[in-house]
Amino acid sequence: MLTIPQIEALRRTNPHLYEALKRLASASLGPNQGWSLDDQVNDGTDFARVATAALTSNKIDPTKPGVLMKGSVPPTWSGAFTYVSTTNAITWSWSGLAISRADGSTTAIANGSLAVGGLTPGATYYFYPYWDDSALALAWVGSIAGSAGSPANAQTAKTNLAAQQQALQGRIPLSQGGIAAATTTSGTGGGSGGGSGSCLRAGTVVLTRERGTVAIETCCAGEHLRCPASVGGEMWTRIERLEIRPAETFIRLHFSNAESLDVTPHHIFTLADGSPMRAERLCLADILVGRFGRLTLNRIEAIVVDGQKVTVSCEPSHEFFAGRHAATVLTHNYTFSS
């Protein structure tokens, strides 16, 4: 049997003999008795044959059937992370995470949690979760420049180094870049979907009893927002807590009343049938509630831009009206842990 290094050496040193052997190999020695030079090659430790069905212009083509699709096309994942925080600790939890691969297989990730202590009060940290295909376990980037906490899985800023570590060979990133979480200045807090919580983008307007239509980030605890009454009509709900944090991933919803909203992917809306629905799961067939009637969706976009998200908690109603130009779309607040 010939080896690939032997064949390659022959091709370089004596191309005429190489071509003669190829022709001889392809010659027929009788019905179905032809033999191919390829069939006389052994797969070795350093080199092995690749089926021509997997090649395009002598290059391996991930779109071809001859390629193992399991790892040749980036997989997708579903599920969400949630966290709770105190003044010096953040605890992430996850459940129902699953990775869908290009070959049609699915990897279920066991439910779990990660507690990181030794953090600074009132600070925002970034985390980079990934699936380790060798260890068959969920892990977090840590122990690099900018790491903080115990264990050192909290990053004090978003960095290219952390994102690169998250996407090394054999690792599947479980977030689009760093996911944010913040410690509190007092009490406890939390969020979901990588800290996105149920948040509106800064610049969204709401209708207040005290100051009329204003940007939501200018509001403060004690002011009142316009909301629907439980028995029909409208009423006011009081802002109990409001937080502003950096964010870069939003869902932009365009409604049939010419309004739009930029919200975090896990922001909750109440559909016309009363059921809750996260923004990332909305579709054009969904019917939502507006201040002056039901609303349909004209377009849904995912946008990535440096910005701020505003998290609001209200009582007694946990819903209020908001919009880009006027407060006409019913949206849900976020209930903080206490």
Side-chain angles (χ1 to χ4, degrees), residues 200 206-212 214-227 236-243 310-321 333-334 336:
L200 297 165
V206 292
L207 179 59
T208 66
R209 186 173 69 183
E210 292 78 9
R211 297 182 293 133
V214 298
I216 191 170
E217 67 270 21
T218 68
C219 294
C220 60
E223 290 189 300
H224 295 78
L225 303 179
R226 199 62 169 167
C227 67
W236 300 100
T237 185
R238 186 178 187 274
I239 298 176
E240 298 295 323
R241 184 169 170 180
L242 183 146
E243 291 185 358
V310 183
T311 310
V312 180
S313 183
C314 302
E315 291 285 353
S317 173
H318 296 297
E319 296 176 313
F320 57 91
F321 296 112
N333 79 161
Y334 176 70
F336 289 90

Side-chain angles (χ1 to χ4, degrees), residues 122-312:
T124 298
Y125 295 93
Y126 300 91
F127 296 80
Y128 293 80
Y130 62 88
W131 173 256
D132 189 322
D133 249 342
S134 298
L136 298 179
L138 187 149
W140 303 73
V141 172
S143 300
I144 61 174
S147 294
S150 177
N153 296 125
Q155 311 300 322
T156 54
K158 289 187 177 182
T159 65
N160 289 333
L161 177 60
Q164 290 165 351
Q165 290 291 316
Q166 186 188 31
L168 290 176
Q169 186 173 2
R171 296 178 177 181
I172 299 174
L174 296 179
S175 65
Q176 296 178 342
I179 54 178
T183 54
T184 61
T185 54
S186 64
T188 61
S192 63
S196 68
S198 187
C199 308
L200 297 165
R201 185 180 176 187
T204 300
V205 300
V206 292
L207 179 59
T208 66
R209 186 173 69 183
E210 292 78 9
R211 297 182 293 133
T213 299
V214 298
I216 191 170
E217 67 270 21
T218 68
C219 294
C220 60
E223 290 189 300
H224 295 78
L225 303 179
R226 199 62 169 167
C227 67
S230 57
V231 293
E234 296 181 352
M235 57 179 278
W236 300 100
T237 185
R238 186 178 187 274
I239 298 176
E240 298 295 323
R241 184 169 170 180
L242 183 146
E243 291 185 358
I244 303 173
R245 295 175 182 168
E248 62 179 16
T249 302
F250 298 93
I251 304 295
R252 177 169 292 171
L253 304 170
H254 298 264
F255 298 95
S256 54
N257 65 346
E259 267 299 340
S260 65
L261 274 178
D262 288 359
V263 299
T264 52
H266 283 66
H267 188 83
I268 297 174
F269 288 88
T270 301
L271 300 183
D273 63 3
S275 60
M277 184 66 67
R278 293 198 312 232
E280 65 180 0
R281 296 186 178 276
L282 288 171
C283 65
L284 296 181
D286 288 324
I287 301 176
L288 292 89
V289 179
R291 190 179 178 194
F292 305 109
R294 295 187 173 186
L295 301 174
T296 56
L297 286 163
N298 292 337
R299 191 163 79 251
I300 302 173
E301 300 176 83
I303 60 172
V304 178
V305 60
D306 288 334
Q308 292 180 312
K309 61 184 182 182
V310 183
T311 310
V312 180

